[in-house]
Amino acid sequence: MGQADLALCIGPAAAAQSYLNQKAILFAAEVSGAEAIHPGYGFLSENAGFVEQVEAAGLTFIGPTAASMRIMGDKIAAKRAMRAAGVPCVPGPDEALSDDVDVVRAAAGEIGYPVILKAAGGGGGRGMRMVESESGLRDALLLTREEARRAFGNSAVYVEKFLGRPRHVEIQVIADTHGDAVWLGSRDCSLQRRHQKVIEEAPAPQIEGALVREIGERCAEACRQIGYRGVGTFEFLVEDNAFYFIEMNTRLQVEHPVTEVTAAIDLVEAQIRVAQGERLPFRQDDIACRGHAFECRINAEDPDSFVPSPGVIDIWQMPGGPGVRIDSHASAGYRVSSYYDSLLGKLIVHGATRDEALARLRVALDEARIEGIATNLPLHRRLVADPDFIRGGVSIHHLEMKLRRSGQP
Amino acid sequence: MSSPLDHVDQLSVWLKDAGLALLELRGPSATLRLVNDGASVHVVEGKESVSADAPSMTVRAPSPGIFLDRHPLHERAIVLIDANVRADDPLGFLQIGPLVLAVPAPRAGTVTDVLVAHGTIVGYGASLFVLDPLEGETA
C-alpha cells in the first residue's frame, strides 16, 4: 500500500463496513478520480450488483459483465450454459430438482449412486451433501433444500454423480470485448483442506496434452458463446482421464501466478488492457506452457490445529534466486489482523521440469523464515516430502486423509 | 448468556496483553467501555453519547471525501479556530462528486485546531478538528 500513488481508508476494519461497503468504495473512487475498479479476489469480486453500481457511477469494472456473473453464480444456469457450449459436465440433469420425491428418485437412479445434492446458489464447496443410496435420498433432499434456502436465499437444489477420488483441475481463460478468447493452460489444485487450496501447480501433471487442449478449446469457445470478458477459471473434477465441469470463477484467482510464470503472461496487466477495450495481444497459437510451477499459500495459522494466528511478525526472511517469486504484503513488524483471511503471502517457484520446480520449492521452503506468529510453513515442508505428492496427481481427498492419519483435524 | 460486566477482570487482562487502548461493548441495555492508559485498565461509565466534560477530542472523517472548510456556495470557512460550537453544528464538509456531507460536532465545545487544509483528499477516520470542552465545563 505504501507504493500506491494515493491510498484512502474506506472504513473501519470490519469487512462489512469497508471492503464489502459498496458505497464507501464508490466514494473513494469518486474522490480519488479513479476511472476503474479492480475487485481483486474475495469480497465483492463476484458480486453482480456491485458491477452494476460501478458502471452506473460511470466507472469501468475490471472484470466480466454482471450478466456473466449472474449466470455463473447460479450453478444450474452455469451447467446449462456449459453443456450448450460443449463443455463436459458431471452426469445429472441441468435443472432444479422438483418437490416430487419420486421424480428425484428416478433422476438419482438414472445417474447411479452415490450421488451428490448441491445448492444452485452454493459453490466453493458449500451447500453440498453426498447420498450413498436411495434410502437416504428423501431426508438429504429436505435438509439440503432447507440449508440452501437459509444460506443462499435460494432453495433450488440439483443432483449430480458423486465422484469418489477426483482431482481438481482448472483451465485459465481470458476474453476481450471484441469476441476473442484464449485459454492459458491448466492448473492442478487438488491439495486442499476443507475446500481451501494449499498448494497449486501448473500444468496439471499426468494428463495427456491432447485432452487438456481439447478441454481448453471448449472453455475458450464457451467464453465466445456467452460473450465473456476478462479473466476467468473453469473448474473441473477429473477422474479416470475424464473432465467434469463444476463451476466457473468469474475473477482472478489466488493461484494465478503459476499460470503467469508458465505462460509468461502478466494476467493483471492483461485484465486492465481488456477492460480498456484493447484486443488480446496474443492468439491461441502464441500460448505455450513453459516448464512447471508450484505455489504454496503461506497462511498465518497453526500448522497442526489450523487456528488463525494473528499478531506481529518479528522476523520475515523470504527465499530468492532463479525461479523463485514471493507475492506478499507482509514484512517484519507487520501486524497480522484478525479481521481478514489468514493468507500472508504466496511462494511461487518455476523450473524447466516438475522435478526441478519441486527441488527449488524444497530449498525455498527451507530458506523461508517467519517468526512472531505461527504459519503453515512446517505443513508445506512436510507436503513437499510426501511421496504421493512427489509422484503427482493426488485426489482432492489426499491431504485430509493424510492429516487424519497423523491425528490432525 | 452471562453479562460482560461479570468478566471485566478477564477483559482487562486481554486488553493489556493485546496493547489495545479501548474496548467498547454495546448492548441494548448497557454499554461497557474499558480504557487502557498503559498503566492500568479502568471502566469508563457507559453512556452512548460523548459527555461534555471529556478532555479534548479529535473529530474524524466519517467517509472518504475532499475536505472543505466551507460550503461550496459560501465564501468563508464555517468555523474558525477558537469558535464555540454546539453539538451537531457542522464543522466542515466532505465533497464526494456532487454530494456534500456535513461533518457535525459530536458535542458542544471550542474548536482549537483545524488539522486539514481546505481541498485535501481524506480517507475514513482522518483527523479533521480538535474540539476542547467549553470553558468552565472542564472536569
Side-chain angles (χ1 to χ4, degrees):
Chain A
M1 206 164 66
Q3 289 164 14
D5 292 333
L6 178 67
L8 278 179
C9 180
I10 53 171
Q17 292 172 63
S18 50
Y19 293 109
L20 292 172
N21 181 348
Q22 304 189 12
K23 196 175 76 175
I25 295 169
L26 292 170
F27 278 6
E30 170 69 46
V31 165
S32 65
E35 294 167 331
I37 294 184
H38 190 300
Y41 30 77
F43 297 121
L44 295 169
S45 62
E46 292 186 284
N47 185 313
F50 182 58
V51 179
E52 286 165 346
Q53 292 289 318
V54 169
E55 289 176 350
L59 302 167
T60 298
F61 180 79
I62 302 176
T65 61
S68 294
M69 275 191 193
R70 287 218 168 85
I71 292 176
M72 294 307 163
D74 179 333
K75 302 305 164 192
I76 297 175
K79 192 171 178 181
R80 204 174 297 139
M82 288 308 113
R83 281 226 168 108
V87 175
C89 296
V90 185
D94 48 22
E95 52 193 34
L97 290 174
S98 91
D99 286 328
D100 185 340
V101 180
D102 288 334
V103 176
V104 176
R105 208 171 277 140
E110 199 173 310
I111 295 166
Y113 290 89
V115 296
I116 187 163
L117 299 174
K118 292 184 175 178
R126 301 185 310 147
M128 311 192 307
R129 178 164 281 101
M130 195 256 275
V131 185
E132 283 187 76
S133 66
E134 194 177 299
S135 61
L137 186 63
R138 186 195 169 85
D139 287 351
L141 183 63
L142 292 175
L143 213 56
T144 310
R145 209 186 273 292
E146 180 58 15
E147 281 175 359
R149 188 183 64 77
R150 288 186 193 205
F152 313 115
N154 173 5
S155 64
V157 169
Y158 62 110
V159 62
E160 287 185 338
K161 175 82 186 150
F162 176 79
L163 302 171
R165 34 169 194 82
R167 293 166 59 184
H168 175 119
V169 177
E170 51 191 38
I171 302 284
Q172 175 73 54
V173 294
I174 184 165
D176 64 19
T177 51
H178 304 274
D180 212 0
V182 299
W183 66 280
L184 302 174
S186 65
R187 294 189 287 258
D188 188 317
C189 316
S190 300
L191 223 52
Q192 306 181 359
R193 179 184 167 273
R194 296 197 180 162
H195 303 287
Q196 295 296 310
K197 298 164 184 170
V198 178
I199 299 183
E200 301 101 342
E201 61 181 297
Q206 299 168 11
I207 300 178
E208 236 180 274
L211 178 59
V212 176
R213 251 194 314 281
E214 187 199 327
I215 299 293
E217 293 294 348
R218 290 190 183 191
C219 293
E221 180 54 30
C223 290
R224 287 176 214 119
Q225 282 192 19
I226 62 174
Y228 194 78
R229 75 168 189 220
V231 300
T233 298
F234 289 77
E235 296 194 333
F236 293 90
L237 294 178
V238 174
E239 196 169 89
D240 300 330
N241 263 324
F243 278 71
Y244 304 101
F245 171 81
I246 42 172
E247 63 184 72
M248 180 181 190
N249 289 317
T250 54
R251 55 171 170 82
L252 191 72
Q253 288 196 273
V254 175
E255 61 270 25
H256 73 276
V258 290
T259 299
E260 288 190 329
V261 297
T262 48
I265 289 170
D266 181 333
L267 281 172
V268 177
E269 180 197 342
Q271 277 188 297
I272 294 169
R273 288 187 181 280
V274 163
Q276 284 174 332
E278 290 182 25
R279 284 183 177 278
L280 289 179
F282 39 73
R283 284 188 310 216
Q284 192 67 60
D285 294 345
D286 303 327
I287 307 299
C289 181
R290 303 171 323 120
H292 203 97
F294 288 94
E295 175 187 274
C296 289
R297 295 192 188 192
I298 302 173
N299 295 335
E301 65 189 16
D302 186 286
D304 297 314
S305 67
F306 300 98
V307 173
S309 168
V312 177
I313 298 174
D314 296 329
I315 294 176
W316 175 266
Q317 281 174 10
M318 284 294 122
V324 176
R325 162 176 161 183
I326 307 290
D327 285 10
S328 178
H329 57 286
S331 56
Y334 179 83
R335 177 181 283 279
V336 179
S337 161
S338 55
Y339 281 98
Y340 311 115
D341 189 272
S342 59
L343 183 66
L344 269 186
K346 303 182 258 183
L347 164 61
I348 303 114
V349 296
H350 186 212
T353 61
R354 189 172 188 270
D355 285 345
E356 186 180 282
L358 204 45
R360 281 191 172 150
L361 182 56
R362 271 190 218 108
V363 174
L365 283 169
D366 284 342
E367 287 174 1
R369 197 173 149 220
I370 302 169
E371 283 177 21
I373 55 164
T375 73
N376 63 348
L377 279 172
L379 173 70
H380 283 301
R381 292 186 190 116
R382 280 211 313 275
L383 290 176
V384 295
D386 172 40
D388 296 316
F389 178 65
I390 292 171
R391 213 173 299 125
V394 298
S395 90
I396 56 171
H397 305 300
H398 177 75
L399 176 55
E400 289 187 353
M401 285 190 307
K402 186 178 157 68
L403 292 173
R404 221 171 296 136
R405 273 199 300 270
S406 61
Q408 285 175 261
Chain B
M1 241 172 70
S2 66
S3 161
L5 294 171
D6 301 335
H7 305 285
V8 168
D9 290 348
Q10 179 62 63
L11 290 169
S12 301
V13 172
W14 285 339
L15 206 60
K16 258 187 132 167
D17 286 352
L20 296 174
L22 175 78
L23 171 79
E24 190 173 289
L25 294 170
R26 286 188 195 176
S29 55
T31 298
L32 172 68
R33 200 176 289 127
L34 293 175
V35 175
N36 175 12
D37 62 10
S40 68
V41 177
H42 49 270
V43 180
V44 177
E45 281 307 317
K47 257 191 286 172
E48 285 236 3
S49 57
V50 184
S51 63
D53 58 355
S56 91
M57 66 179 298
T58 307
V59 182
R60 296 176 186 278
S63 155
I66 297 171
F67 173 75
L68 304 179
D69 65 8
R70 68 206 70 178
H71 190 278
L73 297 177
H74 293 171
E75 285 178 10
R76 262 181 291 214
I78 190 164
V79 292
L80 300 171
I81 289 176
D82 289 338
N84 289 344
V85 295
R86 288 169 303 181
D88 295 329
D89 278 357
L91 301 177
F93 300 93
L94 292 175
Q95 182 160 30
I96 304 145
L99 196 64
V100 178
L101 291 180
V103 179
R107 63 154 200 227
T110 305
V111 175
T112 55
D113 208 353
V114 182
L115 302 168
V116 172
H118 179 75
T120 306
I121 294 176
V122 297
Y124 166 89
S127 303
L128 303 178
F129 302 95
V130 178
L131 196 58
D132 276 6
L134 290 171
E135 238 173 87
E137 288 190 11
T138 313

